[in-house]
Structure formats: structure tokens, C-alpha cells
Amino acid sequence: MITKMKNLPEPLQRQVLFRLGYSFLALLMCAIVFFWTRDAYSVLACIGLFAFFLISAFLLLHQCNARKYIVLSGTCAEVILTTVRKRTKAIHLKTAEHTIWVSVRHRLRKIPVGTRIDLYIAPATTVDERNGIHRIYNYITLEMKGAQ
């Protein structure tokens, strides 16, 4: 498994390791809940969470080793922020052919306009088009490479 991990790009390695880490945290939580409550039914939720993250990590590893991902490279043309807390809601990614609107899933630090971004998506990702801009709502991981 380690040799398979070394063949992956660094952002995909990080994503697999995050999922494995979450699965082992769920296993640790399972042990703590069991020793605290001594009830097998309380542990079932933690076991389910452990299984979910572990299966998710191995499916992602298998998908990436089979090269079933697409890398979209471009520069950040615009950052859309939320109204109240001013967090990053979406970005406009300018590639050679298209402008892509990407909905940001997790908190990212402020992304300056002009930052080079690699977006890793699955081939089955749905891409909507509205007003000549392609929209992506789901991706595997996003890598920022610094200002251009």
C-alpha cells in the first residue's frame, strides 16, 4: 500500500492520509466510548464511522492508482466570499479554454487573485453550464501553488 501511495501526486496522498487518519480517530473514539459506557450499542455508531472513512480511503486510493482522475490547472480569476463572515464561498478558475466556477467545500485561507490552482476531479463529476461559465460543485482535492 505504501508503494501505491508513493505513486500518487502529493495532494491526493494527503487526501488519502486524511481519510485514514479520520478512520483511526473514529476507532479511538470507539474504544473510549466502549470503556466509558460498557455498552455495545453505543459503540456501533463509532464502528460505522470507522468503516465509512476506511472504505472511503481505500476506494480513493484504488481510484487514484487506476488514474481515474482529471487535473484541471488554471489561475484564480475571482474569489466569491460569503456575506457575513467573509469566508471563501467559490472561486472562478481560468483555464486555457474555459472559466470554471468551483464551489469551495472546506475552509481555505484567503486565495489571492492570480494564484495557480490544480483541481483534482473524478471523471464522473457533473459539470453544469450557466452563462458560459462551467460550474463544479464536487471535487477530490484542490492544490494552491502560489501566485503567478
Side-chain angles (χ1 to χ4, degrees):
M1 184 172 127
I2 293 174
T3 57
K4 289 181 180 181
M5 284 282 290
K6 288 182 180 178
N7 294 335
L8 298 179
E10 192 265 330
L12 294 176
Q13 286 178 5
R14 192 175 338 117
Q15 189 66 258
V16 170
L17 288 175
F18 277 145
R19 292 181 188 192
L20 284 174
Y22 289 143
S23 69
F24 289 117
L25 280 176
L27 187 63
L28 178 66
M29 187 172 66
C30 177
I32 290 170
V33 166
F34 179 73
F35 287 125
W36 189 15
T37 63
R38 301 276 187 210
D39 184 24
Y41 291 111
S42 300
V43 176
L44 287 178
C46 298
I47 291 174
L49 194 62
F50 167 73
F52 171 77
F53 281 119
L54 190 66
I55 290 169
S56 173
F58 282 114
L59 286 176
L60 180 62
L61 182 65
H62 175 69
Q63 178 183 6
C64 293
N65 279 324
R67 302 283 188 236
K68 293 183 181 174
Y69 61 88
I70 300 168
V71 181
L72 297 175
S73 297
T75 59
C76 178
E78 182 183 357
V79 178
I80 301 167
L81 302 174
T82 59
T83 306
V84 177
R85 292 194 172 180
K86 302 297 182 197
R87 292 184 182 166
T88 304
K89 178 181 177 181
I91 58 172
H92 282 187
L93 184 68
K94 182 74 174 163
T95 62
E97 299 89 21
H98 305 287
T99 299
I100 302 168
W101 184 89
V102 180
S103 175
V104 177
R105 280 192 319 232
H106 51 281
R107 271 192 226 178
L108 291 174
R109 63 184 184 270
K110 297 206 177 212
I111 304 171
V113 174
T115 303
R116 289 184 32 225
I117 294 176
D118 285 345
L119 186 71
Y120 293 84
I121 63 172
T125 301
T126 58
V127 179
D128 300 330
E129 185 176 353
R130 190 179 304 163
N131 299 331
I133 296 176
H134 298 284
R135 292 176 171 249
I136 295 178
Y137 295 97
N138 192 11
Y139 54 89
I140 298 172
T141 189
L142 181 132
E143 179 187 23
M144 295 185 290
K145 292 190 171 187
Q148 187 173 3

